[in-house]
Amino acid sequence: MIDRSSDRPLYQQLADLLREQIKAGELAPGAFVPSESSLMQEFALGRPAVRNAVSVLRQEGLVVSARGARTQVRPALERSVVELRPGDEVVGRMPTDPERRELGIDPGEPILEVTRADGQQQIFTAGAHQLRVVG
Amino acid sequence: MIDRSSDRPLYQQLADLLREQIKAGELAPGAFVPSESSLMQEFALGRPAVRNAVSVLRQEGLVVSARGARTQVRPALERSVVELRPGDEVVGRMPTDPERRELGIDPGEPILEVTRADGQQQIFTAGAHQLRVVG
DNA sequence: CTTGATTTGTACGTATGTATT
DNA sequence: AAATACATACGTACAAATCAA
């Protein structure tokens, strides 16, 4: 599974394996990702490589981790529809850490900044919202 | 500067300091962030704490790092305007690592998925694009 | 309710590789 | 060619939160 002679870093190889399992549904939304110690043992990797691999998936928004609890595959959440109208503008970016804590945003979750035609600005979490243009 | 008795993790404190310098313009776009070893010495921190701090800023899209070169504050790039029309829909998310490599996207850069009224789908890097709704 | 085991987070150190300057 | 700088990867230790007995 892990090829130590490959050019691809070990943690990326592990991240690739887990990502494929998530995409294939073998690790379903809400399912627990194997613990760090399990992964260390199963793939004969050190803790840095394992943590780095899970970190990659967290940054991709595929899993969520919390201290003391098992890491799990992020459940696909329902997206509220936000209506856009002519003159509205949208940019996307990652929130800063203070913003994340203030707004309660998970790591790996971008935000969408909507500037309305009248100048008002709104911020939406990307994972829970879908923008739709209406006439 | 760094308070070891604080509840806030050391790497977060350092990330906070650097982020403030970036926001204040003391670290201007394109400027070099002090090297890891400088930061280790200046703030009496170990390598993991320093690397973790810079990693936070990279995930926020505020700095870009490359092997062998100094980490620098990400220059604000020009945003091409993408026009949205009635019936179009937009969602935002982080790209997976394979997507990032294929499309040449920097870490900490979200993508915007635009689904046109006719069903066609387009992907834009968030940092370089701005969506505008036209009648 | 408390205890103990498990799990992730934080933080230290070290070594080596690789790309840039 | 040499020095610098970041990336990868190993190990260890302790803290803090969760969960199950």
Side-chain angles (χ1 to χ4, degrees):
Chain A
M1 301 293 191
I2 300 282
D3 177 9
R4 293 193 95 95
S5 70
S6 166
D7 279 345
R8 189 145 175 81
L10 302 181
Y11 76 90
Q12 289 283 14
Q13 292 184 49
L14 177 55
D16 291 344
L17 287 174
L18 294 173
R19 190 186 305 109
E20 283 163 19
Q21 290 182 19
I22 292 173
K23 293 297 180 193
E26 299 167 36
L27 281 174
F32 290 117
V33 175
S35 71
E36 291 179 0
S37 42
S38 306
L39 293 172
M40 285 170 65
Q41 207 166 11
E42 181 176 357
F43 295 98
L45 294 172
R47 195 163 184 223
V50 168
R51 283 189 61 77
N52 214 338
V54 176
S55 170
V56 166
L57 301 178
R58 202 163 36 233
Q59 288 165 45
E60 294 174 357
L62 298 178
V63 304
V64 287
S65 302
R67 177 182 256 169
R70 302 275 305 267
T71 296
Q72 54 181 358
V73 179
R74 179 189 279 186
L77 14 91
E78 296 179 19
R79 292 187 131 103
S80 323
V81 173
V82 175
E83 295 193 339
L84 298 179
R85 293 163 201 293
D88 291 349
E89 294 186 348
V90 183
V91 296
R93 65 174 174 86
M94 291 306 288
T96 63
D97 183 80
E99 281 178 324
R100 281 207 302 104
R101 283 182 299 139
E102 190 176 349
L103 302 174
I105 303 177
D106 282 335
E109 173 108 58
I111 58 177
L112 301 171
E113 282 185 348
V114 175
T115 304
R116 298 299 187 177
D118 61 11
Q120 256 197 339
Q121 193 175 63
Q122 297 173 303
I123 293 186
F124 302 97
T125 57
H129 295 88
Q130 173 179 12
L131 311 184
R132 174 176 304 157
V133 180
V134 298
Chain B
M1 304 293 192
I2 299 283
D3 177 8
R4 295 194 93 95
S5 69
S6 166
D7 280 345
R8 189 147 174 80
L10 304 180
Y11 76 91
Q12 289 283 13
Q13 292 185 48
L14 176 54
D16 291 343
L17 287 173
L18 294 173
R19 190 186 305 110
E20 283 163 19
Q21 290 181 19
I22 293 173
K23 294 295 181 192
E26 299 167 36
L27 280 174
F32 291 117
V33 175
S35 72
E36 291 179 1
S37 41
S38 307
L39 293 172
M40 285 171 64
Q41 208 165 12
E42 181 175 356
F43 296 98
L45 294 173
R47 182 172 298 274
V50 168
R51 282 191 60 78
N52 215 338
V54 176
S55 170
V56 166
L57 301 177
R58 200 162 39 232
Q59 288 165 43
E60 294 174 358
L62 298 177
V63 304
V64 287
S65 302
R67 176 181 260 171
R70 307 263 316 254
T71 296
Q72 55 180 359
V73 180
R74 178 189 278 186
L77 15 92
E78 295 180 19
R79 291 187 134 102
S80 323
V81 173
V82 175
E83 296 192 340
L84 297 179
R85 295 164 198 293
D88 291 349
E89 295 186 348
V90 183
V91 295
R93 65 173 174 88
M94 292 305 289
T96 62
D97 183 79
E99 280 177 327
R100 281 207 301 104
R101 284 183 300 140
E102 189 176 350
L103 301 173
I105 303 177
D106 282 335
E109 172 109 58
I111 57 175
L112 300 171
E113 282 186 347
V114 176
T115 304
R116 299 299 187 177
D118 62 10
Q120 256 197 340
Q121 193 176 60
Q122 297 174 303
I123 293 186
F124 302 98
T125 57
H129 294 88
Q130 172 179 14
L131 311 185
R132 174 176 303 156
V133 181
V134 299

